[in-house]
Amino acid sequence: MFTYVPLLWSVYLSFFDAHNTVSPHRFVGLDNYTSMLRDRAFTDSLGTFGLFALFIVPATYALSLALALMVNRLRYLQAFFRSVFFLPAACSYVVAAMIWKLSIFNGVRFGLANTVLGWFGADQTAWLSTTHPPWYWLVIVTVRLWLQAGFYMVLFLAGLQRIPAQLYEAAAVDGARPGWQVFRYITFPQLRATSVAVALLLVINAFQAFDEFYNLLSDSRGYPPYARPPLVYLYNIALGRGQNLGEGSAGAVILALIIAVVTVVQARWFGLGRRED
Amino acid sequence: MTFSRRQLLGTGGSLALTGALAAACGSNSGRDDDGGKPGRATLQQWYHQYGEAGTEQAVRRYAAAYTAADVKVQWRPGDYDQQTAAALLTSSGPDIFEGSPTLDQIQGGQVVDVTDLVSAVKDDFNPAVLTPKTYDGRIWGIPQVIDMQLLYYRKSLLSDADIQPPTTLDELVDAAKKLTTKKVKGLFLGNDGGAGVLGGTPLYAAGLSLVTEDGKVGFDDPAAARTLGKFHRLYADKSLLLGAPTDWSDPSAFIQGLTALQWSGLWALPAVKKALGDDFGVLPFPADGAAGKPTVPVGAYGAAVNSRSKHQAEAKAYIKWLWVDKTDYQEDFALSYGFHIPARISLAKKAAKLREGAAADAVSYATDHGYAQPLLWTPAGQTAYQDALSRIIKDGANPDTELKAVVRTTASELQRVRKKP
């Protein structure tokens, strides 16, 4: 009831003029759709998502895999380090965003990042407000990396621990050099199923980006036009001061279709669902 | 680990449609059960979170003093305007809320007509803040206090740099650059560089407006692009303070010496005076161009009644009692905590605290140079304008091109709201 009714109502509402109401007011056909597709802010927000996914998916994948490989090799204190790296996953996105914004990456001289850089004579940097270069991406990507790398590390650890030891022994007998060669020909192929799952989850999570963006960049007067992901834009249109629920619904339908297409393409690319998996 | 394609599509497709709604949903409706004494209404009243100490206690005291109904005050931190806008769509919103009802809310019948409550003393309300609450000859909110924004400057820093308080936008840009050092920035217009808070102020300073009195776009003029283009210099010169722990509405950055000039509100004046004594002054936003004039934005939250309230009559009686009859409470609310100008002209004239020093200067700016955001200026136009201003300031985008797009959006919005009954 709480999934399908709002979903279908949202599709229905997208064909109506619905300012400040969730009840259809006046049928407008596809006007809301054409208006959203012509809206530069909406198309820019789709670009923002693409850029974010481009940063965060490979970065999280590489970092979580590296952490998993490192923790997996530990003879002692493995449980301790696994917990240390996993703990940020329990932290709220809102809280983490506020810590990043107010303590580490604030733009004044006593912010942590600026203090450290100041020791080397660097000028203070407004991390979230500087668009050239776009330092805000550093803040956005690092906070999400910190929050989610530990979770994916645990998935990779589980995958690593399922690789039979005999494979490594056989590789050693065949003369494979430990390190990169073993990783490339044994470990990485054996992690294929885990890698596919991690990549899919990372892309879906990137689509869901809202909390850290909103808390890092919004203020009482609105949200800047850069680094505005689709959910933030649609939230502001539909549930913010605009209260244009017709157009907001049209945007949500467009976004849902895009996600569906991306998911199918990605699933086909990874060969997901094939019998050999 | 395998997912079926059906599961994946289901998950992916649901995400976007439910995401925007889920992001805003919370279990706390902000409304208690009626729970009052039998035969007696319990009214839910919302206020946004004022920064000044003592304000919350004061409004709770006023509510407790009302005898004809039980009034439960909710103090709401966060993005208050968005909260009220969303709450008005549901049946669990407040009975009374402070806010600036938008044209869509008025046209959508979300707020109650309160003309009859004000009619006897209508002329005593400052027209600058009553007009934006008036639509189609009816009044939709009772102005509580007048808030204004203005430029604070640190006298000692300006005199050390041999700079006079700026009277034109060019002088302000030059002064901000000269006042910028390794530790102190010249000017603070908010962490977004001013795109959000300045709003239409630079346009009015250039002799233009957001919407003309006859309901047309007020900035379809080359002077608008010329004025807004000057803001990029502030950013390019690195004269702007950006990324401060608190934003423009809080005077902390100014008090802590992070900036020599700050755009903030009159409400911050007691805190600034306490911290800096007489080492500060206030200015209107400086004029730009031959047709320009100094400008300060004024505005007022109004006490409004939710049309979904089950206790509309009681709610109207309460806001009449508080914001029309109880002039002592109105004066206390305006002047005992932060500084605001009473919305009633008679009270503003009596207020001794507003007759001297920087407060008196501020009041004279509000009287001589104040402008209020027109009711016809809709959120869609505002978002487009803020986005354009942000791109002009930070990216050095072409002001002409950016403004043309905003003019189109605004014209289309004006056409839309005019079509409505």
Side-chain angles (χ1 to χ4, degrees), chain B residues 224-297:
Chain B
R226 187 200 62 221
T227 297
L228 297 186
K230 292 179 181 176
F231 284 84
H232 179 60
R233 238 191 80 201
L234 286 164
Y235 182 76
D237 288 346
K238 298 189 174 175
S239 311
L240 290 176
L241 174 65
L242 298 163
T246 55
D247 215 346
W248 65 275
S249 60
D250 187 305
S252 299
F254 185 64
I255 289 168
Q256 290 165 2
L258 296 173
T259 180
L261 297 126
Q262 178 175 337
W263 186 253
S264 191
L266 179 63
W267 56 83
L269 200 140
V272 173
K273 191 167 176 58
K274 189 177 171 190
L276 302 179
D278 291 326
D279 185 20
F280 79 99
V282 291
L283 292 169
F285 191 88
D288 187 53
K293 54 186 188 297
T295 300
V296 290

Side-chain angles (χ1 to χ4, degrees), chain A residues 221, chain B residues 149 194-204 210 228 231 263 297 371 373 377 382 385-386 389:
Chain A
R221 295 276 164 164
Chain B
Q149 294 162 24
V197 68
L198 287 180
T201 304
L203 301 176
Y204 285 85
L210 289 166
L228 297 186
F231 284 84
W263 186 253
Y371 85 91
Q373 192 166 285
W377 182 238
Q382 188 173 342
Y385 175 77
Q386 275 181 217
L389 191 50

Side-chain angles (χ1 to χ4, degrees), chain A residues 110-172:
Chain A
F110 44 78
L112 182 61
N114 278 337
T115 302
V116 172
L117 290 174
W119 295 338
F120 302 99
D123 285 339
Q124 62 192 50
T125 300
W127 300 97
L128 286 163
S129 307
T130 304
T131 51
H132 297 285
W135 286 120
Y136 52 86
W137 279 122
L138 178 75
V139 187
I140 293 166
V141 170
T142 52
V143 70
R144 186 169 266 227
L145 264 180
W146 183 75
L147 281 162
Q148 67 178 11
F151 173 77
Y152 292 103
M153 175 202 74
V154 170
L155 295 187
F156 276 122
L157 264 179
L160 286 171
Q161 285 163 6
R162 279 209 309 268
I163 301 174
Q166 294 92 322
L167 279 179
Y168 291 107
E169 287 161 11

Side-chain angles (χ1 to χ4, degrees), chain B residues 121-134 143 146 298 300 342-345 367 370-373:
Chain B
V121 287
K122 189 181 163 195
D123 293 341
D124 193 33
F125 279 96
N126 191 314
V129 289
L130 191 61
T131 305
K133 306 270 178 293
T134 308
I146 300 176
V298 298
R344 301 277 288 274
I345 295 164
T367 310
Y371 85 91
Q373 192 166 285

Side-chain angles (χ1 to χ4, degrees), chain B residues 46-389:
Chain B
W46 283 14
Y47 287 92
H48 85 288
Q49 184 183 32
Y50 285 80
E52 304 93 326
T55 314
E56 182 181 0
Q57 290 75 13
V59 297
R60 289 187 188 282
R61 198 171 63 244
Y62 310 153
Y66 189 60
T67 52
D70 292 323
V71 181
K72 290 192 173 177
V73 169
Q74 283 214 19
W75 198 248
R76 301 193 66 93
D79 194 334
Y80 176 80
D81 289 331
Q82 284 201 348
Q83 289 175 31
T84 49
L88 291 180
L89 290 175
T90 72
S91 55
S92 55
D95 299 290
I96 306 154
F97 64 97
E98 64 167 8
S100 302
T102 64
L103 189 52
D104 282 315
Q105 285 169 350
I106 295 168
Q107 289 180 331
Q110 292 187 314
V111 287
V112 170
D113 178 357
V114 294
T115 313
D116 55 326
L117 309 183
V118 179
S119 53
V121 287
K122 189 181 163 195
D123 293 341
D124 193 33
F125 279 96
N126 191 314
V129 289
L130 191 61
T131 305
K133 306 270 178 293
T134 308
Y135 173 68
D136 215 12
R138 316 296 294 167
I139 297 165
W140 303 89
I142 307 176
Q144 296 177 172
V145 288
I146 300 176
D147 275 325
M148 62 175 292
Q149 294 162 24
L150 69 173
L151 199 57
Y152 287 83
Y153 67 94
R154 190 82 174 261
K155 285 180 181 171
S156 56
L157 290 178
L158 264 68
S159 63
D160 289 350
D162 198 20
I163 295 170
Q164 292 300 310
T167 55
T168 65
L169 183 54
D170 292 318
E171 285 176 19
L172 176 67
V173 173
D174 290 340
K177 188 178 181 188
K178 283 182 194 158
L179 289 162
T180 298
T181 65
K182 188 116 179 139
K183 291 195 167 179
V184 181
K185 289 287 187 181
L187 177 62
F188 185 39
L189 296 173
N191 284 323
D192 62 357
V197 68
L198 287 180
T201 304
L203 301 176
Y204 285 85
L208 305 168
S209 63
L210 289 166
V211 179
T212 59
E213 284 184 10
D214 57 347
K216 296 200 174 105
V217 181
F219 51 93
D220 190 5
D221 189 299
R226 187 200 62 221
T227 297
L228 297 186
K230 292 179 181 176
F231 284 84
H232 179 60
R233 238 191 80 201
L234 286 164
Y235 182 76
D237 288 346
K238 298 189 174 175
S239 311
L240 290 176
L241 174 65
L242 298 163
T246 55
D247 215 346
W248 65 275
S249 60
D250 187 305
S252 299
F254 185 64
I255 289 168
Q256 290 165 2
L258 296 173
T259 180
L261 297 126
Q262 178 175 337
W263 186 253
S264 191
L266 179 63
W267 56 83
L269 200 140
V272 173
K273 191 167 176 58
K274 189 177 171 190
L276 302 179
D278 291 326
D279 185 20
F280 79 99
V282 291
L283 292 169
F285 191 88
D288 187 53
K293 54 186 188 297
T295 300
V296 290
V298 298
Y301 263 166
V305 175
N306 180 355
S307 61
R308 286 176 182 255
S309 166
K310 289 181 205 157
H311 306 296
Q312 280 186 27
E314 293 88 344
K316 284 176 75 173
Y318 174 64
I319 61 170
K320 180 176 184 299
W321 174 80
L322 182 55
W323 296 113
V324 176
D325 301 337
K326 292 294 288 180
T327 50
D328 52 337
Y329 284 173
Q330 290 158 38
E331 193 174 349
D332 177 66
F333 185 74
L335 293 159
S336 297
Y337 313 101
F339 264 27
H340 310 268
I341 303 170
R344 301 277 288 274
I345 295 164
S346 56
L347 293 178
K349 278 183 184 164
K350 276 199 308 187
K353 287 180 182 174
L354 298 176
R355 282 195 207 134
E356 57 184 25
D361 293 340
V363 173
S364 74
Y365 300 150
T367 310
D368 299 339
H369 310 304
Y371 85 91
Q373 192 166 285
L375 193 59
L376 287 170
W377 182 238
T378 64
Q382 188 173 342
T383 302
Y385 175 77
Q386 275 181 217
D387 283 3
L389 191 50

